[in-house]
């Protein structure tokens, strides 16, 4: 599932979330947090891969100190990713908007 980070309404800073809204789909707060955590890891991996691809465009293979400090485009890309909502906030937003698919594997295996 591809996350559109730029269109997200996820908070950039800490906010209070209603516990009942978080555990409503599963009726189990621990299960809900586990699902959100796994989705957060997926989003983090996706964001990291995307950032590394963009930064790889600026890779230089000579160690000139001047080039390292003058690469303003690379700095802007890094700052953009620093200002984005954190993966856990994005995952929790997806969860609350019912955009995360999950299933119980133990129940599926028994059938």
């Amino acid at each position: 599932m591809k996350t559109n980070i730029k269109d997200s309404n996820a908070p950039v800073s800490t906010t209070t979330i209603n516990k009942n809204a978080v555990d409503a789909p599963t009726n189990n707060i621990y299960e809900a947090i586990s699902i959100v955590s796994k989705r957060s890891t997926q989003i983090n991996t996706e964001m990291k891969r995307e950032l590394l691809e963009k930064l790889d465009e600026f890779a230089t293979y000579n160690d000139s100190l001047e080039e390292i400090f003058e690469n303003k485009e690379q700095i802007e890309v890094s700052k953009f990713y620093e200002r984005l909502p954190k993966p856990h906030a994005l995952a929790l937003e997806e969860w609350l908007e019912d955009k995360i698919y999950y299933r119980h594997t133990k129940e599926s295996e028994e059938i």
Side-chain angles (χ1 to χ4, degrees), residues 80-101:
F80 171 77
Y81 277 89
E82 287 176 8
R83 288 188 294 258
L84 288 176
K86 302 300 178 221
H88 65 272
L90 292 166
L92 192 55
E93 177 190 35
E94 287 180 2
W95 177 252
L96 294 174
E97 293 176 357
D98 199 30
K99 294 181 179 178
I100 297 178
Y101 169 78

